[in-house]
Amino acid sequence: MSCFKFSHVPLTGLFVACVLSASLAWANPAVAAKQESSGSSKNYKMEKIIYTDKALHATTLDGVSKIRSNNDAEVYSAGERYFPVMLVETADFKALDSAFIARMFNEEGFKENGVYGSIRDYFIESSGGKFKPTFDIYPIKLPKNFSEYNSDSKFILPSIDLMVERSDFKARANKYEKVIPFVILHPTSKEQASKFNSNFFNHMFNLKNSAGKVYSKNGYSFNNYAFVSQKAENKPNATSTKDVAMLGAFIHEFSHVIGLSDLYSADANGYATIGPLPYDVMALGLRNGNGGYPPTFSAFEREAMGWLKPTEIANNDSVYELKNLSKMQAYAVSNPNNRNEYFIIEYRPAVGFDSKIGSSSYSGKQGKNGVLIWYIDYDARAFASNDPNRNQSHQRVEVRTVLTKNQESFTDFEFVNNVDKSSINGIFNLVFDGNDRVCFTVNRSKSLDKCPENEAESSSSAVEPHSSSSFAQSSATVSSSSVEFPKSSSSSSGSLSLVQNSVPKVQMRSSHGMLEVHVPVAGEKTLRFYDVLGNVIRAVSFEKQFVSIDISGQNRSAFVMLDVGGKRLLAKQVKFR
């Protein structure tokens, strides 16, 4: 998290930021900041972070926006993924119960200690099932007192040395990435840890910088990590699992590991009040519901991860249907002169992780549920500094307004880059249809009393894809994983050969670089391709009975699994030739 009093020199130099409990890493002496909550005052520590150019988040080639280039934030943010979590204790601080931590990280529907779900639940919900992380918990006991491990590297490296000797780690290591991202949980509170080392607030960093190298041990390599306290604020000696740290803190820091930036900044007095505070887990939404109900990723963040593509609104008289964000739908209104500046419209009812947006343990500004209108001005340099919202007069990611059931409207689709105003008049005539969907028009004079019965037709004729990718013309939603289908100069046409007998009625064939799949049954379908190591090459979800998938350049075998309505229908090896 960030409070951000920010000054900078050129990118090859240093970036300095003021940060609360989060993100890329080295701290200078802390300062205090007052934050208001429901008539009471609380003090939270703000740490100054120094960034070097080596520590910045990677961007795409030539500085092209990741969000606009159809690239995932990190290669390991899709599919079934596995991450080691070191649960460390020292001679003077005991670790919390490992079985409980394993459940909090992984158990479906985990509800203890006032949380809505597990960390795995959160990422599955935020990704629409496209990212399913499993967190393997490894208890580690360091022999010395905590104070003797007084830097990131001194604490982390001996912990890794012990972990890689464990038989359970060796048995599961083939499931991890080639260079393993990980979570390390130190055995006290963040306040107590900071007394031993001012750098020991919750943060994400990498061993290449904190230890001077990507660390290798017994043939395993490690780099990016989240460094998080096990225990709740001001509970340094806790042994009860009731005193575990906020769920939101673990999610916030791990979200940095998969590539997201902090989205809060400071007001003129230095207080952390700027940014989409209660609406985003990368802002102070991590404290919603006492930290147990962090809001799910916004459509902007889902787009950054490669999980969702908002649909561009066209300026016409049609009625637009907007589904609950959990259905992975959102609209965009983009600057025609700069595709990196745009608005996103998403619907967040008060359900699940999003049900406590109006109840944050931080903030003099509580949120509310409804149709959120986000303003986005993506700049790779600003995001690489982990401080996109430092300019108080021009927030790069903010919620401009929330439309509720009071028939409100929004007409301020204005831009700052090359053009002043969108051709879209505004959002009007908002109609809520329970928690499932809302409907609206972009024409003030067009009346609307209820959502139309045939909502699919009414919205599909009015929109065009937000993305220019080849998948935008099909019904598929694609998320990339650690391996892309390689492009080659060879012919991409050919036929599909099923090595085993195909399931009746399911038809697949490849032609001119396209894989055509016909599944004549109803329900949501997911087609996954795996390489010989079991890594997800590609995942495609669709609801129609037919989908066409670009496989140009693919000239090797793959294993294909087809699920319909969550049930396995087909599992076959295929050859493209």
Side-chain angles (χ1 to χ4, degrees):
M1 303 184 359
S2 317
C3 119
F4 293 122
K5 290 180 178 176
F6 197 96
S7 62
H8 69 277
V9 293
L11 190 61
T12 55
L14 299 178
F15 287 84
V16 182
C18 172
V19 174
L20 162 66
S21 85
S23 327
L24 301 171
W26 294 113
N28 281 338
V31 296
K34 177 182 176 184
Q35 306 186 353
E36 312 249 340
S37 176
S38 303
S40 62
S41 297
K42 292 184 178 181
N43 290 306
Y44 298 117
K45 293 181 70 174
M46 305 291 188
E47 288 86 4
K48 286 188 177 181
I49 306 300
I50 298 177
Y51 298 94
T52 70
D53 57 325
K54 294 179 181 179
L56 301 180
H57 291 176
T59 57
T60 57
L61 293 176
D62 301 321
V64 177
S65 158
K66 284 181 177 181
I67 295 172
R68 301 280 108 176
S69 65
N70 301 319
N71 288 333
D72 289 350
E74 295 291 348
V75 296
Y76 40 78
S77 61
E80 292 278 359
R81 298 287 169 167
Y82 298 84
F83 303 91
V85 178
M86 287 179 279
L87 182 69
V88 183
E89 71 173 56
T90 57
D92 51 345
F93 289 103
K94 298 296 183 183
L96 296 180
D97 178 66
S98 60
F100 172 86
I101 297 297
R103 292 177 55 226
M104 183 183 70
F105 270 76
N106 296 294
E107 184 177 279
E108 182 178 357
F110 180 78
K111 299 293 184 185
E112 293 186 24
N113 291 348
V115 306
Y116 176 73
S118 67
I119 295 170
R120 175 179 164 88
D121 286 342
Y122 177 90
F123 286 102
I124 291 175
E125 172 66 22
S126 288
S127 68
K130 293 180 173 62
F131 178 44
K132 297 180 179 180
T134 295
F135 300 93
D136 296 329
I137 311 301
Y138 297 104
I140 302 294
K141 186 171 183 178
L142 296 177
K144 301 177 182 179
N145 287 340
F146 186 78
S147 60
E148 298 191 48
Y149 305 98
N150 59 359
S151 72
D152 275 32
S153 60
K154 288 181 179 179
F155 184 75
I156 293 172
L157 299 189
S159 299
I160 290 176
D161 291 345
L162 292 172
M163 179 176 68
V164 298
E165 296 294 340
R166 293 176 60 102
S167 59
D168 52 354
F169 173 85
K170 294 176 183 178
R172 294 185 63 79
N174 65 341
K175 294 181 178 290
Y176 304 139
E177 308 301 317
K178 182 177 180 180
V179 179
I180 303 172
F182 61 96
V183 179
I184 186 161
L185 307 179
H186 71 72
T188 186
S189 65
K190 62 180 185 179
E191 298 88 1
Q192 183 68 27
S194 295
K195 292 179 182 179
F196 298 113
N197 186 326
S198 59
N199 301 328
F200 278 3
F201 51 91
N202 294 345
H203 61 268
M204 173 267 173
F205 204 36
N206 59 73
L207 291 173
K208 187 175 181 180
N209 287 276
S210 64
K213 60 183 178 180
V214 174
Y215 187 66
S216 295
K217 184 72 173 181
N218 291 4
Y220 309 112
S221 296
F222 302 84
N223 192 29
N224 291 345
Y225 60 86
F227 182 98
V228 193
S229 60
Q230 295 176 34
K231 297 170 185 177
E233 295 169 354
N234 302 311
K235 298 283 187 178
N237 300 304
T239 57
S240 171
T241 54
K242 292 181 179 180
D243 295 320
V244 69
M246 294 184 298
L247 186 81
F250 298 113
I251 290 171
H252 177 102
E253 298 307 336
F254 185 74
S255 297
H256 283 304
V257 173
I258 62 174
L260 293 181
S261 299
D262 285 324
L263 293 181
Y264 49 88
S265 190
D267 66 11
N269 297 315
Y271 300 151
T273 57
I274 305 298
L277 293 182
Y279 296 105
D280 204 296
V281 71
M282 303 314 293
L284 295 183
L286 66 88
R287 291 184 173 271
N288 291 357
N290 293 317
Y293 285 72
T296 55
F297 284 173
S298 67
F300 163 72
E301 288 157 337
R302 298 178 195 213
E303 183 182 16
M305 290 290 105
W307 299 332
L308 177 151
K309 282 295 175 188
T311 304
E312 193 74 26
I313 290 184
N315 189 14
N316 54 42
D317 291 334
S318 296
V319 173
Y320 289 84
E321 177 204 42
L322 176 61
K323 295 179 181 178
N324 184 328
L325 184 58
S326 66
K327 302 299 183 183
M328 304 299 283
Q329 187 205 5
Y331 287 113
V333 177
S334 299
N335 182 341
N337 294 328
N338 187 327
R339 292 281 290 174
N340 283 344
E341 185 182 20
Y342 57 110
F343 290 84
I344 288 183
I345 301 99
E346 64 181 31
Y347 175 38
R348 285 179 182 255
V351 296
F353 285 105
D354 293 335
S355 61
K356 301 293 184 182
I357 287 175
S359 177
S360 175
S361 59
Y362 165 81
S363 185
K365 178 185 177 183
Q366 296 294 331
K368 56 184 178 179
N369 293 85
V371 175
L372 276 62
I373 311 292
W374 293 75
Y375 171 77
I376 310 295
D377 186 7
Y378 185 88
D379 178 86
R381 188 180 174 106
F383 277 78
S385 73
N386 195 42
D387 194 14
N389 279 340
R390 71 179 179 91
N391 186 340
Q392 298 168 26
S393 62
H394 180 64
Q395 300 286 279
R396 292 188 176 275
V397 179
E398 65 173 324
V399 175
R400 287 287 173 88
T401 193
V402 180
L403 306 180
T404 64
K405 296 182 179 181
N406 297 323
Q407 297 293 313
E408 300 173 63
S409 63
F410 180 79
T411 59
D412 298 325
F413 289 119
E414 297 183 353
F415 303 111
V416 299
N417 296 314
N418 303 323
V419 66
D420 293 329
K421 199 171 181 68
S422 165
S423 59
I424 304 302
N425 294 327
I427 299 297
F428 307 103
N429 303 308
L430 203 65
V431 175
F432 286 78
D433 187 9
N435 289 328
D436 295 328
R437 62 173 178 155
V438 298
C439 297
F440 61 88
T441 71
V442 294
N443 187 331
R444 188 190 298 271
S445 62
K446 184 177 181 65
S447 63
L448 182 66
D449 297 323
K450 64 179 182 178
C451 288
E453 293 297 328
N454 193 352
E455 66 272 7
E457 290 184 6
S458 65
S459 62
S460 62
S461 63
V463 298
E464 58 186 23
H466 189 50
S467 168
S468 60
S469 73
S470 60
F471 292 94
Q473 302 303 320
S474 76
S475 59
T477 300
V478 178
S479 75
S480 299
S481 185
S482 60
V483 184
E484 295 287 347
F485 283 129
K487 301 294 182 182
S488 73
S489 59
S490 62
S491 172
S492 59
S493 63
S495 62
L496 174 70
S497 173
L498 288 179
V499 176
Q500 303 177 36
N501 293 330
S502 60
V503 175
K505 298 184 179 180
V506 177
Q507 299 179 11
M508 296 185 187
R509 70 184 186 92
S510 65
S511 177
H512 303 291
M514 302 300 292
L515 174 64
E516 298 174 351
V517 183
H518 181 222
V519 188
V521 294
E524 183 177 1
K525 307 163 187 69
T526 300
L527 191 68
R528 293 182 178 87
F529 297 83
Y530 296 81
D531 63 17
V532 294
L533 298 178
N535 298 313
V536 177
I537 302 172
R538 179 165 290 179
V540 180
S541 295
F542 56 101
E543 292 189 359
K544 294 183 179 180
Q545 295 185 5
F546 175 83
V547 68
S548 184
I549 304 166
D550 185 355
I551 57 169
S552 56
Q554 174 64 16
N555 56 8
R556 55 196 170 102
S557 296
F559 194 77
V560 176
M561 289 189 180
L562 174 67
D563 292 344
V564 177
K567 295 182 179 180
R568 185 66 40 78
L569 183 62
L570 172 70
K572 301 294 179 185
Q573 185 181 4
V574 299
K575 290 182 179 179
F576 302 97
R577 62 189 183 194

